[in-house]
Amino acid sequence: MNIPQFDIITLGAQIFGLLVTLAIFYYYNIKVVIPKFIEIKKFRTKKLKKNNSLVFMVSKDLSSNMWLKTFCYTNFLK
């Protein structure tokens, strides 16, 4: 009794099926997955740059606000 996976006669058909399946998978990845991945990566990079500039601006405002409060408080105590 032979197992079909190890039968030398069906080896050609198995390799052909494997190559066809891998070719379809490769084509799908090139045409669908990679462009979507690149689009998402560009969107996330743009969003990170925008948020980074916003955080920097808020940080600068907070330090200025802290300085102003301290200045006003010290003048109030005098």
Side-chain angles (χ1 to χ4, degrees), residues 40-50:
I40 290 169
K41 188 172 185 219
K42 284 180 183 178
F43 176 74
R44 290 180 72 187
T45 304
K46 184 179 176 182
K47 192 172 181 180
L48 284 172
K49 284 182 182 179
K50 179 183 170 190

Side-chain angles (χ1 to χ4, degrees), residues 1 14 22 56 67:
M1 197 138 135
Q14 290 176 10
L22 288 176
F56 180 71
W67 180 84

Side-chain angles (χ1 to χ4, degrees), residues 59-70:
S59 174
K60 199 166 65 171
D61 288 344
L62 286 176
S63 62
S64 297
N65 193 11
M66 184 68 173
W67 180 84
L68 182 63
K69 284 184 179 181
T70 306

Side-chain angles (χ1 to χ4, degrees), residues 7-65:
D7 192 8
I8 203 80
I9 297 172
T10 62
L11 189 62
Q14 290 176 10
I15 291 175
F16 178 75
L18 178 67
L19 290 177
V20 168
T21 303
L22 288 176
I24 292 170
F25 183 67
Y26 178 78
Y27 181 78
Y28 175 75
N29 280 329
I30 295 295
K31 293 294 181 182
V32 176
V33 175
I34 293 176
K36 285 186 179 180
F37 175 76
I38 292 171
E39 182 181 341
I40 290 169
K41 188 172 185 219
K42 284 180 183 178
F43 176 74
R44 290 180 72 187
T45 304
K46 184 179 176 182
K47 192 172 181 180
L48 284 172
K49 284 182 182 179
K50 179 183 170 190
N51 287 343
N52 192 19
S53 65
L54 181 66
V55 166
F56 180 71
M57 184 178 62
V58 168
S59 174
K60 199 166 65 171
D61 288 344
L62 286 176
S63 62
S64 297
N65 193 11

